[in-house]
Amino acid sequence: MPSTGHDGERIIRGIPVSSGVCQGKLLVLGRTFVQVPEITIGAEEIPQQIYRLEKALIATRLQLTEVQRKVSATMGDSDASIFEAHLLMIEDPMLMEETTRIVERKRCNIEAAFQQAADRYIVAMSAIDDELFRSRVADLKDVANRVINNLMGRQDQNCLSTLTEPCIIVSHDLAPSTTAQLDRHKVLGFATDIGSKTSHTAIMARSLQIPAAVGLKDASETLPSGQYALLDGYAGLLILNPTDATLFQYGQLIQKQANLQEKLQDLHNKPAVTLDGTPIVLSANIEQADEFEAVKACGAEGIGLFRTEYLYLNRETLPSEQEQYEAYHRTALAVKPQSVIIRTLDLGGDKFLSHINAPEMNSFFGWRAIRFCLREQVIFRTQLRAILRASVAGNIKMMYPMISGVEEMEQANALVEQYKAELRAEGIPFDENLEIGAMVEIPSAVITANALARRCRFFSIGTNDLIQYSMAVDRMNEKVAYLYEPTNPAIVRLIKMTVEAAERQGIWVGVCGEMAGDPVLTPLLLGLGVKELSASPGQVPQVKFLLRRLKMQEARELADFALNCESGAEILSRAQTLARNIAPGLFDNQ
Ligand code: PEP
Ligand code: MG
């Protein structure tokens, strides 16, 4: 429940997922056909309500014409012709007449009347035993949804690419395809109804370095666009109509943060080395090919995780071998001589392409990542050939996501060998010594890590999924987010088992999940024997700040304590005490 403060200030509490504070107008994105509340109106208001509907229909028409124009320009007139059907529906007099009848009879607001009329229409169409009519149902829902969003002043998710003024985005959730196309200079922050620290929206916000709070329950259904608010990404608060006192308090916090950022900036060219001289590879995660500027700006050592899914989103065709080669090669050259670890396609989970995979009942346990690639070998071949060709840059490594056992590892490696042979035969150069690693993010991979380590050159622990699968906690679900505990003794032991298996085979272990970006957990990971950390660019300076004040002896003592402790809360508390002792300035806001 939101709490109401003084002078109309209202605070909605969620889960903090990306630090920082921003303030501005809310832009509430509509989602699919939410129920609109019915409000009684006076008879004299009816003409005004009908006028609003007419305006909303005109706005919807304009939006659809614009979408049609874009589709026609990129994909041709035949694909764009489907929008003719959408446009015809808006002009259907029956829908308008039915809506007007409902308003007059029930004396209710036009949004509710339109939704009821559209519902009846949809039910009637679904009942007709004709494929053509049934296929129109999805179109009608889409159009009705657009009209309701326009009536309620909500924007469609697609508007993110064409924002005209900076705003805080409020949404039920943000799909990867939506965040991939947003104009990052116009988005001040994210506030979503659902999600957790490792949900896609959270990772994206950290990658964009904008404040975000998730798990705000029904914020997107109850808040209007245009309302002024402050978003606190440290505490996970969305503060509506903040009072002067609140703004003053946050002004001070922002100033403190600016001072800290200045201090962190000084570390830019300094090495990631512990106080007692142990060098650590501290790299950055990227979500899109051209984020290498952010990698350089944060003082990271190369890229420890390049999530390649974003090359595939928001398009009707798959990226060609040449296009991918160029993206990988450009990125590798940009960070050279440091390395870039390209992760092969991890579609599924929360990332879908309408034309090749679709959400499943249990998407995170379904047809995802390496499972998808091993079956869709044409798609996999294109990517592997592109990565191999790009590897001539000399600093590329590659890893497979979601490896669950040796068979997948062997099958993937065999395909790589096959494509290497093809390239040799074609006289196309590549790095013969390309290092291939496995992501360790499924408990079965930890348990079979000895065997996996014999088949690869490094492990990168994906703690986001490892925690999700070990604790049976859906990483998207804010209701069980409290169970998502990186310091749980089970997780600590799984990381240790992975490190021990790797050490036995003489390969190195990194962590590229979100645990790697939390400075409180840096000593624990290093103490457990992790050699490389890869975090969002915005988190890299803090981790570097902390590890440069850390002695490996302290890290090992913390890890020993954690391995013998039965409580995740106690491990966290001990980790917090150590981090606060050695780097007090980092935690002033917590
Ligand atoms: C992970 O699971 O920790 C990881 C880095 O992969 P993703 O978040 O993309 O699933
Ligand atoms: Mg993962």
Side-chain angles (χ1 to χ4, degrees), residues 79-107:
D79 282 307
S81 67
I82 53 165
F83 292 101
E84 291 299 336
H86 288 58
L87 289 164
L88 281 177
M89 279 174 205
I90 299 192
E91 279 151 19
D92 187 339
M94 268 173 57
L95 197 55
M96 186 70 189
E97 280 161 21
E98 178 66 5
T99 308
T100 312
R101 253 199 304 276
I102 296 174
V103 178
E104 286 169 350
R105 187 164 41 83
K106 294 179 108 180
R107 297 260 168 89

Side-chain angles (χ1 to χ4, degrees), residues 1 71 88 104 111 150 158 165 189 267 269 275 325 366 419 436 480 512 589:
M1 275 291 284
V71 173
L88 281 177
E104 286 169 350
E111 293 89 344
N150 282 324
N158 293 326
E165 62 171 326
L267 296 179
N269 290 319
L275 197 55
Y325 156 77
Y419 305 140
I436 299 182
V480 290
C512 64
N589 306 315

Side-chain angles (χ1 to χ4, degrees), residues 260-430:
L260 174 61
Q261 286 309 324
E262 231 171 80
K263 242 198 269 177
L264 294 177
Q265 197 54 39
D266 291 345
L267 296 179
H268 182 264
N269 290 319
K270 303 223 167 92
V273 54
T274 61
L275 197 55
D276 48 0
T278 303
I280 307 298
V281 180
L282 177 57
S283 334
N285 295 349
I286 61 168
E287 314 294 312
Q288 321 223 20
D290 290 323
E291 281 175 30
F292 43 75
E293 292 299 341
V295 175
K296 288 186 168 170
C298 75
E301 184 176 337
I303 297 167
L305 167 62
F306 179 170
R307 288 184 167 98
T308 55
E309 300 76 74
Y310 293 88
L311 286 169
Y312 294 71
L313 297 178
N314 289 322
R315 50 191 297 161
E316 297 296 321
T317 54
L318 292 165
S320 67
E321 180 182 315
Q322 182 63 18
E323 182 185 340
Q324 291 191 60
Y325 156 77
E326 282 167 19
Y328 304 146
H329 196 244
R330 194 170 63 240
T331 307
L333 292 186
V335 298
K336 206 171 173 175
Q338 294 161 351
S339 55
V340 48
I341 304 181
I342 301 179
R343 177 176 78 180
T344 61
L345 189 57
D346 186 356
L347 275 186
D350 60 351
K351 302 190 188 99
F352 305 99
L353 296 182
S354 52
H355 53 297
I356 50 173
N357 71 337
E360 299 165 309
M361 176 83 97
N362 221 332
S363 290
F364 276 106
F365 288 78
W367 196 39
R368 189 186 159 186
I370 196 71
R371 304 163 181 191
F372 172 88
C373 288
L374 288 175
R375 208 163 93 203
E376 292 292 325
Q377 287 190 11
V378 175
I379 296 175
F380 201 25
R381 174 175 177 271
T382 306
Q383 182 175 45
L384 290 178
R385 279 180 56 105
I387 297 173
L388 284 168
R389 283 175 53 200
S391 72
V392 281
N395 57 334
I396 286 183
K397 298 180 173 68
M398 177 174 85
M399 63 184 176
Y400 311 124
M402 295 278 296
I403 289 288
S404 66
V406 287
E407 291 79 9
E408 284 165 344
M409 194 73 207
E410 285 179 347
Q411 282 175 44
N413 281 343
L415 290 174
V416 172
E417 288 311 314
Q418 188 183 322
Y419 305 140
K420 279 184 178 174
E422 277 179 19
L423 292 175
R424 275 187 215 106
E426 291 165 31
I428 298 175
F430 60 89

Side-chain angles (χ1 to χ4, degrees), residues 343 346 368 402 439 441 462 464-465 475:
R343 177 176 78 180
D346 186 356
R368 189 186 159 186
M402 295 278 296
M439 284 197 70
E441 44 187 351
N464 306 340
D465 280 316
R475 61 193 263 197

Side-chain angles (χ1 to χ4, degrees), residues 15-33:
I15 303 168
V17 295
S18 182
S19 56
V21 175
C22 64
Q23 41 186 305
K25 282 193 191 156
L26 300 182
L27 177 72
V28 183
L29 303 183
R31 71 166 164 141
T32 45
F33 228 55

